Each structure stands twice: as C-alpha cells, then as structure tokens.
Amino acid sequence: AFVVVTTTKPSKTQHNRVLNCLNNAQNDDNNNSIDDEQPVAGTASTSSRRLFGSQFLTTISMASASSFFVLPINAWGAAAKTNEVDEDKEKLTKGYKRLTYLLDNWDRLTEVCDNSKTDPFSGKTVCVKTPLVVSEYMGFKSMADPLFKADKTMRRLEKAGVVPDSRSSDYLDAAEMWQQTSDEAQGMAYTSSWAGPENPNGGDDNIDFFLQRAKKQVVDARTSLGTVVEILQM
C-alpha cells in the first residue's frame, strides 16, 4: 500500500497541454455538428468525448509524472509510532516533576487557610486539610493529567521496545510498584477526606493520620516513577 503526496505544481508547458487538449475536443465537436447534416444520434458527440477522454487522461498522466511521489504506508506508521513514544515519555517526565512539586510543597498544597472554618470551642479560624489534592497530582482526577493511567503508558513503552533488554526486569518491577503505591496513595487520600469530625468516629487527628500515610505512598510512587524515567533515559 502507498500514500501519494503532491510536491510541485504542473509546469506552464504541462498546463498548456491540458488546455490544448480541451480546445481540440471542443473543435472536434463543432466540426462534427457542422459537417454531418443528419448524424446518427449520439455518434459524433460520443466519439468526440471518447477522444477527449483519451487525450485528457494521457496529458494529465504526463503532467502529473513529475508532480507526485509515493511513500510506503509503513513509513508513515513508523513516524506515528515515534510520535506516540515521545508523547508517552513526555507524560511520565511531566508527572515525575509534578509529584516532586507536590512533595516539596506538601503542607501548602494539602491545607487551605482561607478563614472559612472556625474552631467550635475557641472560635478561632483554623486551616482545613485538602487530602484530595493528592488525587489530582497522582492522575486520578482528570484524563488530561500526564499520570492518568500511567501504568498503561508504561506498558505501551515496554511493548514499543524502548526499554533496554538489560533493564527489562527493573523496568517491570518499577512499573508494578508504581501501580501498587499510586493506588494506595489514592486510597489513603480518599479515606483522609472522610475522616473528619463531621463523620462518626472521625476527627482532625484521623485526617492527619491518613494524609501522612498517603504522603508515604506518594514518596514511594515517585521513587518507582523515577526508576522508569531513568531506565528510559529521559
């Protein structure tokens, strides 16, 4: 299978050949209608049209010969595969940087101090924990996030053959560890979001407890993702 790609416009000479072909066919039609007083219905015009068709196709073929080239389909397939690999690598790299940013700014990102909540006993304003921020950075909140279904991204890269044979085992271990720790980080963050005093047996201490457990899993997840990035030499 081949793909045809236009590279240049027909030359002026080629363009004139096409016009001459059209003019000749029109003249043939005019001559036939004048010379034949009682032509057989459709004979002259049909013959002229056939002659025109033959001349036109011949001229177009000549004009097009230098205007097109063909590329095998597999060349385009290889280019598309390369683009997909580059995009997947970029996703993991961005995801790693985002997790690093989350951990470096953990307290600021997982806590909101906007005076919207007050202590019921002292009446003072208190900060509010926002555990589900972890879900956002781990790729569980948006399909547009670079770490959305990162485990599948890692598998695609492995199937694409970009993982060195000497590091295949390390890569698979890191990918498996990523899936495990990212799921646990999401679970702990979700539990923390429901562990407040508004719920039975809940309290601020429970929020902090599960949020810290989520942080530990994020640290481990980033480590495994870092191994993947290092193996892929990104």
Side-chain angles (χ1 to χ4, degrees), residues 35-220:
D35 295 341
D36 299 332
E37 295 180 358
Q38 295 180 341
V40 179
T43 302
S45 60
T46 300
S47 175
S48 176
R49 283 195 297 270
R50 288 176 178 172
L51 176 61
F52 163 70
S54 176
Q55 293 176 335
F56 185 76
L57 289 175
T58 301
T59 305
I60 287 296
S61 298
M62 295 173 60
S64 301
S66 63
S67 302
F68 298 91
F69 70 91
V70 292
L71 285 177
I73 283 292
N74 58 4
W76 292 91
K81 181 179 179 181
T82 299
N83 289 337
E84 184 180 62
V85 167
D86 291 341
E87 289 175 0
D88 283 343
K89 285 183 175 182
E90 184 177 4
K91 288 178 182 178
L92 297 183
T93 301
K94 286 183 177 180
Y96 180 82
K97 292 178 179 179
R98 278 170 56 81
L99 290 187
T100 298
Y101 178 80
L102 170 63
L103 292 171
D104 289 345
N105 300 274
W106 183 266
D107 292 337
R108 181 172 64 85
L109 294 175
T110 60
E111 190 174 60
V112 175
C113 300
D114 57 0
N115 300 324
S116 62
K117 185 177 180 180
T118 59
D119 186 283
F121 300 103
S122 65
K124 296 180 179 180
T125 57
V126 294
C127 297
V128 180
K129 296 293 184 180
T130 54
L132 293 182
V133 167
V134 176
S135 303
E136 297 178 10
Y137 280 83
M138 295 294 293
F140 288 97
K141 293 288 290 269
S142 171
M143 294 176 63
D145 191 279
L147 291 180
F148 177 73
K149 294 186 177 180
D151 55 318
K152 292 186 177 181
T153 302
M154 295 176 188
R155 286 199 293 269
R156 279 198 304 271
L157 289 169
E158 193 270 332
K159 291 180 179 179
V162 296
V163 179
D165 292 339
S166 60
R167 302 296 304 278
S168 179
S169 179
D170 294 337
Y171 183 89
L172 294 176
D173 288 343
E176 182 178 351
M177 181 59 65
W178 159 263
Q179 185 170 4
Q180 177 183 336
T181 53
S182 62
D183 286 344
E184 290 181 0
Q186 162 65 1
M188 291 298 101
Y190 183 80
T191 301
S192 177
S193 69
W194 285 92
E198 300 84 0
N199 296 292
N201 301 319
D204 292 335
D205 291 343
N206 287 337
I207 294 177
D208 291 337
F209 174 77
F210 288 108
L211 188 56
Q212 287 303 312
R213 291 188 63 178
K215 182 178 182 180
K216 180 182 182 305
Q217 298 303 321
V218 172
V219 171
D220 292 342

Side-chain angles (χ1 to χ4, degrees), residues 9-23 56 59-60 62-64 66-67:
K9 294 182 178 179
S11 65
K12 184 175 182 181
T13 302
Q14 294 166 342
H15 178 67
N16 290 336
R17 288 177 182 172
V18 175
L19 293 179
N20 290 335
C21 179
L22 292 170
N23 291 332
F56 185 76
T59 305
I60 287 296
M62 295 173 60
S64 301
S66 63
S67 302

